[in-house]
């Protein structure tokens, strides 16, 4: 079988597939249109998030038997049409779930202990101990929305803390020894820290909005290591200003391109559509995002929660394993 690799990944992916008898071709620079001209030559595709695998692309991939996505989500693939065509879809949430769990926990501890602003304060020659007095996670209730690979890994990381962990999921009977499954109403009543671990679907886009936030009984902290479009940034900013949200750790942002490689999603948001700079000279930032950047109770990272040295290897190994199980 011939496999076309569209994104660079850990070298073990190429090496182990070749050792198993697959023929590997690499194309990391051609446009989507150029790739469509030759995609009928391949039985397999390996991709991260370079571009969308849509119906047009799949129609030209006449001999395609599988798509391997080196990551957790499959939202950049027309799943229904691929399945109608009998194309196998392999993703690898097992590969970076531990990294995501650690990152989410790190964000909570950093927010609670004001590490971002304390660091900057000391660097500026200040020694303001009272200003940077933190709070403890002990005794808090952590609510998790989405209790799959990522949610479970995060809950496991919380076992060493004296916290109550509750989870909400659209599937029944997902709870385990690390989290108790509850209905949304109980989540709204108990939660001190809310962590999102959901895929991007029509139901989750814009899920965390003003109406949703106002249902919480107590002000809460928000952690999002899932998908940026799940949170309406403008509503989050207003809720922080009103004290309904105490702060947020955001590894993902509403404005990300679907490839996750750049921040802004459309040309209207940037002076140069190819720029990934955040300097005011090159980017017309949405008002809500500008407000977010000025807040001390916000920690941001560039979609790297699952992006560790170890996860790069584990993601690739997971995809190799699934391909070999199915086709060897």
């Amino acid at each position: 079988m011939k496999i076309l690799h569209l994104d660079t990944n850990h070298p073990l992916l190429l090496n182990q597939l070749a050792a198993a008898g697959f023929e590997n071709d690499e194309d990391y620079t051609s446009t989507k249109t150029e790739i469509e001209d030759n995609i009928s030559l391949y039985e397999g595709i390996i991709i991260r998030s370079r571009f969308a695998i849509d119906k047009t692309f799949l129609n030209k991939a006449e001999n395609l038997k599988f798509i391997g996505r080196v990551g957790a989500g499959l939202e950049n693939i027309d799943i229904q049409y691929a399945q109608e065509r009998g194309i196998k879809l392999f993703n690898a949430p097992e590969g970076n779930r531990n990294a995501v769990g650690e990152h989410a926990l790190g964000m909570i501890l950093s927010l609670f202990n004001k590490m971002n602003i304390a660091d900057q304060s000391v660097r500026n020659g200040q020694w303001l101990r009272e200003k940077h007095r933190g709070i403890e996670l002990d005794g808090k209730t952590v609510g998790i929305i989405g209790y799959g690979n990522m949610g479970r890994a995060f809950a496991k990381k919380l076992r060493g803390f004296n916290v109550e962990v509750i989870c909400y999921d659209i599937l029944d009977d997902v709870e385990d020894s690390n989290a108790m499954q509850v209905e949304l109403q109980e989540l709204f009543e108990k939660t001190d820290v809310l962590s999102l671990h959901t895929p991007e679907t029509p139901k989750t886009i814009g899920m965390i909005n003003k109406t949703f936030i106002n249902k919480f009984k107590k002000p809460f902290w928000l952690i999002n290591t899932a998908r940026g479009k799940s949170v309406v940034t403008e509503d989050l900013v207003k809720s922080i200003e009103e004290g309904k949200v105490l702060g947020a750790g955001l590894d993902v942002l509403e404005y990300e391109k679907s490839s996750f490689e750049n921040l802004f999603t459309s040309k209207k948001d940037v002076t140069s559509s190819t720029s990934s700079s955040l300097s005011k000279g090159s980017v017309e930032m949405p008002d809500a995002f500008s407000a977010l950047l000025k807040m001390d109770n916000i920690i941001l990272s560039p979609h790297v929660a699952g992006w560790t040295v170890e996860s790069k290897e584990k993601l690739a190994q997971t995809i190799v394993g699934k391909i070999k199980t199915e086709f060897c």
Side-chain angles (χ1 to χ4, degrees):
M1 294 175 69
K2 292 183 66 175
I3 301 174
L4 180 62
H5 296 255
L6 296 172
D7 287 295
T8 57
N9 289 292
H10 195 283
L12 75 79
L13 208 157
L14 285 165
N15 295 337
Q16 292 189 18
L17 287 175
F22 295 91
E23 181 180 340
N24 296 298
D25 286 346
E26 302 166 74
D27 188 338
Y28 307 138
T29 58
S30 296
T31 66
K32 182 179 178 181
T33 301
E34 290 170 338
I35 290 170
E36 286 175 347
D37 290 339
N38 297 305
I39 196 60
S40 62
L41 300 174
Y42 297 94
E43 287 81 35
I45 295 172
I46 304 291
I47 192 169
R48 286 202 317 267
S49 302
R50 182 171 158 194
F51 54 70
I53 306 295
D54 54 21
K55 189 172 183 178
T56 299
F57 186 95
L58 292 172
N59 280 335
K60 296 189 176 184
E62 298 172 354
N63 296 305
L64 197 62
K65 292 181 173 59
F66 75 86
I67 301 170
R69 201 251 151 171
V70 188
L74 292 170
E75 61 265 34
N76 276 1
I77 300 171
D78 189 330
I79 297 173
Q80 181 177 345
Y81 191 62
Q83 291 174 337
E84 289 175 3
R85 290 276 310 277
I87 298 169
K88 299 286 184 179
L89 302 177
F90 305 125
N91 61 337
E94 307 93 333
N96 62 356
R97 59 190 175 190
N98 183 72
V100 170
E102 289 189 3
H103 196 94
L105 179 57
M107 281 187 147
I108 293 173
L109 297 177
S110 295
L111 284 167
F112 276 27
N113 292 283
K114 303 180 181 179
M115 289 184 179
N116 56 331
I117 57 174
D119 174 81
Q120 290 302 312
S121 178
V122 175
R123 290 174 188 272
N124 291 329
Q126 299 175 319
W127 197 255
L128 306 175
R129 296 180 67 223
E130 186 59 35
K131 181 179 179 181
H132 298 121
R133 189 185 291 274
I135 61 174
E136 297 178 16
L137 185 54
D138 189 278
K140 304 292 191 297
T141 297
V142 179
I144 298 172
I145 297 184
Y147 206 63
N149 278 281
M150 306 304 169
R152 289 173 182 272
F154 174 55
K156 185 177 180 180
K157 299 301 175 188
L158 293 167
R159 287 194 305 193
F161 297 85
N162 181 32
V163 294
E164 179 183 10
V165 183
I166 57 178
C167 64
Y168 172 79
D169 196 285
I170 59 173
L171 301 177
D172 294 327
D173 301 321
V174 298
E175 71 178 30
D176 57 17
S177 61
N178 298 319
M180 179 178 70
Q181 187 169 6
V182 299
E183 297 296 330
L184 273 176
Q185 187 56 44
E186 187 169 350
L187 190 91
F188 293 142
E189 291 175 0
K190 289 186 173 182
T191 297
D192 295 299
V193 179
L194 179 68
S195 189
L196 305 183
H197 298 279
T198 49
E200 184 175 305
T201 70
K203 289 183 178 181
T204 62
I205 293 175
M207 174 176 65
I208 309 300
N209 55 28
K210 185 176 181 180
T211 300
F212 191 89
I213 291 169
N214 287 341
K215 292 180 180 179
F216 284 81
K217 183 178 180 180
K218 300 180 286 185
F220 65 95
W221 300 83
L222 175 67
I223 305 296
N224 187 11
T225 55
R227 290 292 182 257
K229 290 180 176 58
S230 293
V231 177
V232 179
T233 310
E234 183 177 358
D235 290 358
L236 173 61
V237 168
K238 289 179 180 177
S239 297
I240 292 172
E241 292 171 343
E242 294 169 357
K244 295 174 181 176
V245 174
L246 298 171
L250 305 174
D251 179 56
V252 291
L253 291 165
E254 179 183 2
Y255 312 106
E256 283 182 81
K257 286 189 174 182
S258 59
S259 67
F260 309 136
E261 297 298 325
N262 299 98
L263 180 54
F264 290 94
T265 56
S266 63
K267 290 184 179 180
K268 71 178 181 179
D269 291 328
V270 288
T271 304
S272 169
S273 62
T274 59
S275 173
S276 60
S277 170
L278 289 182
S279 65
K280 291 183 179 179
S282 62
V283 174
E284 303 253 345
M285 290 185 283
D287 290 342
F289 185 59
S290 295
L292 204 66
L293 293 178
K294 297 173 184 175
M295 293 178 168
D296 289 339
N297 54 347
I298 298 292
I299 290 181
L300 303 170
S301 55
H303 203 140
V304 293
W307 200 257
T308 63
V309 171
E310 292 85 356
S311 72
K312 182 177 183 180
E313 180 175 349
K314 286 188 282 188
L315 285 165
Q317 191 65 69
T318 300
I319 291 297
V320 170
K322 291 182 177 181
I323 293 172
K324 289 171 66 175
T325 296
E326 183 69 27
F327 294 106
C328 291

